[in-house]
C-alpha cells in the first residue's frame, strides 16, 4: 500500500478522534488518490501513547461526543435492537459493543510528543488508527430486514447525531491554519534549529513526518525513522512547541465557535439528549 503525503498529513492532524472520520478517507484537497491505513497491530494499552496530553483539551471538543458517551449510545442502541428482535422471535442478536476505549483525540495531533510514541517512529500513528477486525456474521434475507426494522425503532429512542461534520471541520481548519500562525512559525524555527544540531534538516514536524524515506508499506519503522522521531519529540520539548501550537489552535477555534455558536449549541444539545436516552435504556435493562 502506498501511504502518501496527503494521507500522512490528514492522519497527523486528526487521528484518534472517535470515530476517526477524516483519518482513513480520501482527502478533498488533493487530486492524489489516498487509501485508508491498515496499521500493523493493536494499539498498546499505554496512556502515554493513547492519551499523552490529558491536560490539553481543544475548545471544539465541548461539541464532540466523548468516547465514553458514544460507547454507551452504541451499547444502548444494540440493546434496544436485540430486545426488538426478541419480541419479533428472530433468532439473531447483535453482539454488544466492547468497553475498550479508543485513543484520545489529541493522541497523534502533533506527532510524537513523548518517547513512548517516538520509539515507534511515525508508525505510531497507524497504531492509533487501529480498528479491530469484525468477527460478527452479517445478517441476510429476513433477518436483515428485521434488523433494519429494529434499527429504525432504536433511532426513535436514540436519534443519530446530526452535526453535519461542523466540529470536525473546525478541528481540521484550526490545525491547518495554525501551521501558518506567527507564534507557531516561530516555534517551528526553534524546533528546526534544534533538529539541525542533531544533523536533521526539516522545516517543521510535519515535514519530518512526511519524509519520503519512511516506508509506510512496512509493518515496522526503520531505525532511521525511529531516530528522527525520537529527536523530533526531544526538540518539541526544547522548543516548547506543543503549548505554543496548542494555544494557536485554541485562539483559532474560539473565533470559529463564536461565529457558529447557534449551530454548535444545537449539536451540544443533541449530545446531551442522546446521553440521557442511552442512560435510561441501559439503567432499565440492568434491572
Amino acid at each position: 500500500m502506498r501511504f502518501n503525503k496527503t494521507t500522512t498529513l490528514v492522519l497527523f492532524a486528526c487521528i484518534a478522534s472517535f470515530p476517526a472520520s477524516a483519518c482513513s478517507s480520501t482527502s478533498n484537497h488533493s487530486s492524489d488518490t489516498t487509501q485508508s491505513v491498515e496499521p500493523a497491530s493493536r494499539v498498546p494499552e499505554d496512556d502515554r501513547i493513547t492519551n499523552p496530553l490529558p491536560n490539553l483539551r481543544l475548545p471544539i471538543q465541548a461539541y464532540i461526543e466523548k468516547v465514553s458517551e458514544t460507547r454507551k449510545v452504541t451499547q444502548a442502541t444494540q440493546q434496544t435492537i436485540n430486545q426488538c428482535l426478541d419480541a419479533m422471535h428472530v433468532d439473531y442478536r447483535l453482539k454488544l459493543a466492547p468497553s475498550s476505549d479508543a485513543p484520545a483525540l489529541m493522541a497523534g495531533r502533533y506527532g510524537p510528543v513523548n518517547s513512548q510514541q517516538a520509539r515507534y517512529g511515525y508508525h505510531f500513528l497507524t497504531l492509533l488508527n487501529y480498528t479491530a477486525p469484525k468477527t460478527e456474521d452479517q445478517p441476510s434475507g429476513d433477518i436483515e430486514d428485521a434488523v433494519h426494522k429494529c434499527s429504525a425503532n432504536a433511532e426513535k429512542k436514540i436519534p443519530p447525531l446530526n452535526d453535519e461534520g461542523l466540529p470536525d471541520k473546525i478541528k481540521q481548519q484550526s490545525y491547518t491554519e495554525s501551521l501558518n500562525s506567527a507564534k507557531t512559525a516561530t516555534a517551528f524555527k526553534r524546533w528546526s534549529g534544534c533538529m539541525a544540531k542533531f544533523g536533521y534538516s526539516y522545516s517543521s514536524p510535519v515535514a519530518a513526518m512526511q519524509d519520503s524515506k519512511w516506508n509506510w508499506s512496512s509493518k515496522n519503522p526503520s531505525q532511521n525513522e525511529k531516530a528522527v522521531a525520537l529527536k523530533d519529540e526531544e526538540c518539541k520539548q526544547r522548543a516548547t512547541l506543543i503549548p505554543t501550537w496548542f494555544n494557536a489552535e485554541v485562539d483559532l477555534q474560539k473565533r470559529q465557535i463564536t461565529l457558529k455558536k447557534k449551530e454548535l449549541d444545537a449539536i451540544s444539545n443533541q449530545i446531551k439528549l442522546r446521553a440521557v436516552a442511552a442512560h435510561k435504556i441501559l439503567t432499565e435493562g440492568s434491572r
Side-chain angles (χ1 to χ4, degrees), residues 150-163:
C150 289
S151 296
N153 176 62
E155 283 192 4
K156 294 178 182 178
K157 297 183 178 181
I158 309 179
L161 181 60
N162 181 22
D163 62 10

Side-chain angles (χ1 to χ4, degrees), residues 79-150:
Q79 180 175 302
T80 301
I81 292 172
N82 284 342
Q83 289 172 344
C84 172
L85 292 171
D86 184 56
M88 294 174 66
H89 305 290
V90 176
D91 188 20
Y92 179 83
R93 299 292 180 272
L94 296 178
K95 293 180 181 178
L96 295 180
S99 60
S100 59
D101 283 336
L105 182 147
M106 302 295 288
R109 194 167 184 82
Y110 304 129
V113 296
N114 58 38
S115 59
Q116 286 72 32
Q117 289 185 332
R119 67 191 180 95
Y120 290 94
Y122 296 102
H123 277 63
F124 89 94
L125 293 170
T126 67
L127 291 175
L128 296 177
N129 204 35
Y130 174 83
T131 301
K134 294 182 179 179
T135 58
E136 187 171 13
D137 293 333
Q138 296 302 307
S140 59
D142 292 342
I143 293 179
E144 184 179 13
D145 292 339
V147 171
H148 283 315
K149 187 176 295 184
C150 289

Side-chain angles (χ1 to χ4, degrees), residues 184-253:
T184 304
T186 300
F188 280 174
K189 287 181 180 179
R190 293 198 301 269
W191 175 91
S192 183
C194 173
M195 291 292 284
K197 292 178 181 178
F198 295 111
Y200 301 117
S201 179
Y202 296 109
S203 60
S204 72
V206 177
M209 184 201 61
Q210 291 180 343
D211 195 322
S212 60
K213 293 193 295 291
W214 312 149
N215 183 8
W216 296 102
S217 63
S218 171
K219 290 183 178 181
N220 301 301
S222 64
Q223 290 301 315
N224 185 33
E225 180 187 331
K226 288 191 285 187
V228 172
L230 285 165
K231 293 306 179 184
D232 174 352
E233 181 273 328
E234 182 179 334
C235 287
K236 284 190 178 94
Q237 304 298 332
R238 294 189 180 190
T240 60
L241 177 56
I242 301 305
T244 303
W245 198 345
F246 172 78
N247 288 329
E249 282 210 81
V250 168
D251 291 342
L252 290 163
Q253 287 190 4

Side-chain angles (χ1 to χ4, degrees), residues 16 29-30 70-71 74-75 95 129 147 168 171 178 194 204 216 219 246:
H29 305 291
S30 171
T70 302
R71 184 173 63 244
T74 301
Q75 291 173 335
K95 293 180 181 178
N129 204 35
V147 171
D168 255 359
K171 176 165 63 71
S178 71
C194 173
S204 72
W216 296 102
K219 290 183 178 181
F246 172 78

Side-chain angles (χ1 to χ4, degrees), residues 36-53:
S36 60
V37 182
E38 298 178 3
S41 58
R42 185 185 302 274
V43 61
E45 294 182 4
D46 186 339
D47 283 346
R48 295 170 298 179
I49 294 175
T50 60
N51 189 22
L53 302 170

